[in-house]
Amino acid sequence: MDVLRGTAMAALLLWHASSIPSLYSDIPAPDWLMVINSALSPYRMPTLMMLSGMLLHRSLSKPLGEFYLGKIRTLLWPYGVWAVILLAIQGRLDSITRPQDWIPVTYIWFLLFVFLYYCAAPLLKKVPAELVVLTALVLSIVIADRGFISKFVLFSAYFYLGYLINGKRPALHGHIQRAAIPLAVLSVVLLVLVGTENPLVLRAISVTGVLGFIGLCSRWYRPSRPSGVGESVGRSSIVYYLAHFPVMVGVTSALDAFGVQSAGVHIALGLTIAALLCAVLARGQRLPVVRLLFSLPALRSRRDQTSPAQSRSPQGA
């Protein structure tokens, strides 16, 4: 899961590094890079969303109060923090008083979606997950032109599909492993020969591709030194996801101020500086100030407030 999440996050960073100069400084990316980004588009966010859904069953095993407080701490809190940061960078702090400008705030829509899916999950426990996935996929095609709402419905299908294969119907995971190669090949063939213009085909490309990648990784992937970077990014994906965008915007603004108009320079520096600073933040999460950027600390009960000699167990144990 870590290496697959890290790979999807790297694809997202590449997309934003090449699109931010165009959005903020009118510097288009090279055509060949946009072709790569277009090919990765059906897989980037669906992969991250499906992997998030695969963790749902573990969260649902907690008491309801702890479940919701945990999601407020780890999803809604960082959404609010980085929404304010982004609005400040864009000179739109006056939008804080307008709730409609918070839903969603540009690139961090993913965090808000996941939070809302988690909030709905306890209410849908008795509904067959297959029905939720199928209904969301069909509805997303019917309302394909509704912007934010269409996107919300579509990604709920990927989220609950992850829950289906790693929670409700764990036996499906074995079938996906065995069918991993045909699923991945089918996805690539559809992408190359048919394209993504048709909404139904696009969803088929994403679902078969992501399921194929999950099956391939869970069946054959073994940790190694070269893939350690991807695993590290995957473990700290929340840091890379939230912090990279403002950094890239800052790099592009600075280069623009110095009159640099080379797309290659904007992309290379934006990607490199963002990746390095995100790595520093990921390493610095033990510092309370840094940790507050990405999660709200849990309140400790008196029973949990043990003496230092009693609290040397590994974090999370």
Side-chain angles (χ1 to χ4, degrees):
M1 180 173 286
D2 284 337
V3 75
L4 191 54
R5 187 161 45 197
T7 303
M9 191 58 60
L12 179 64
L13 264 64
L14 178 64
W15 162 238
H16 282 159
S18 52
S19 61
I20 283 174
S22 177
L23 289 171
Y24 287 85
S25 298
D26 199 25
I27 301 174
D31 291 341
W32 63 268
L33 186 53
M34 297 312 294
V35 169
I36 293 175
N37 282 323
S38 296
L40 294 174
S41 179
Y43 309 115
R44 283 189 304 257
M45 302 313 293
T47 296
L48 292 172
M49 191 61 79
M50 205 176 296
L51 292 175
S52 296
M54 290 177 71
L55 299 173
L56 174 59
H57 73 287
R58 187 171 64 186
S59 294
L60 285 175
S61 65
K62 299 176 181 178
L64 204 57
E66 183 182 344
F67 172 85
Y68 281 115
L69 283 174
K71 299 314 159 193
I72 291 172
R73 288 177 44 247
T74 59
L75 293 172
L76 192 60
W77 171 264
Y79 179 85
V81 168
W82 287 89
V84 171
I85 290 173
L86 189 62
L87 290 172
I89 289 174
Q90 296 174 336
R92 297 171 51 212
L93 277 177
D94 58 317
S95 296
I96 289 178
T97 59
R98 296 195 295 270
Q100 65 271 23
D101 288 350
W102 286 64
I103 307 174
V105 178
T106 59
Y107 77 104
I108 56 175
W109 61 266
F110 175 85
L111 221 58
L112 180 62
F113 282 17
V114 172
F115 173 73
L116 294 175
Y117 299 152
Y118 267 105
C119 287
L123 307 176
L124 297 173
K125 283 181 73 172
K126 297 189 186 236
V127 179
E130 298 91 337
L131 180 61
V132 176
V133 173
L134 183 60
T135 301
L137 283 173
V138 172
L139 188 58
S140 71
I141 295 173
V142 174
I143 60 170
D145 58 347
R146 302 291 178 88
F148 164 71
I149 298 298
S150 304
K151 196 173 188 178
F152 179 80
V153 172
L154 172 60
F155 278 91
S156 70
Y158 299 132
F159 180 85
Y160 286 103
L161 183 56
Y163 174 51
L164 177 65
I165 65 176
N166 203 46
K168 280 280 192 176
R169 304 286 185 271
L172 281 174
H173 208 154
H175 297 313
I176 290 169
Q177 286 182 336
R178 289 186 286 274
I181 293 177
L183 285 169
V185 169
L186 174 61
S187 178
V188 174
V189 168
L190 287 173
L191 178 64
V192 173
L193 297 184
V194 183
T196 59
E197 296 300 321
N198 185 291
L200 185 59
V201 175
L202 174 59
R203 283 146 183 75
I205 290 170
S206 294
V207 170
T208 56
V210 176
L211 290 178
F213 302 152
I214 289 173
L216 288 170
C217 280
S218 59
R219 185 172 183 180
W220 283 295
Y221 175 73
R222 297 294 179 272
S224 64
R225 187 178 295 274
S227 63
V229 174
E231 290 184 32
S232 177
V233 172
R235 282 192 294 271
S236 301
S237 58
I238 184 71
V239 175
Y240 284 83
Y241 177 74
L242 288 171
H244 78 277
F245 195 95
V247 174
M248 289 180 179
V249 171
V251 170
T252 280
S253 298
L255 290 174
D256 202 32
F258 282 100
V260 178
Q261 295 296 303
S262 168
V265 173
H266 276 258
I267 294 167
L269 283 181
L271 189 59
T272 302
I273 294 174
L276 289 175
L277 287 180
C278 286
V280 170
L281 288 171
R283 290 291 297 272
Q285 286 184 88
R286 292 184 179 182
L287 298 173
V289 175
V290 176
R291 190 162 58 245
L292 272 174
L293 293 172
F294 307 103
S295 67
L296 188 64
L299 295 176
R300 299 176 64 190
S301 65
R302 288 185 177 181
R303 184 178 60 184
D304 296 331
Q305 292 175 357
T306 56
S307 65
Q310 294 174 309
S311 59
R312 291 178 182 170
S313 60
Q315 185 177 3

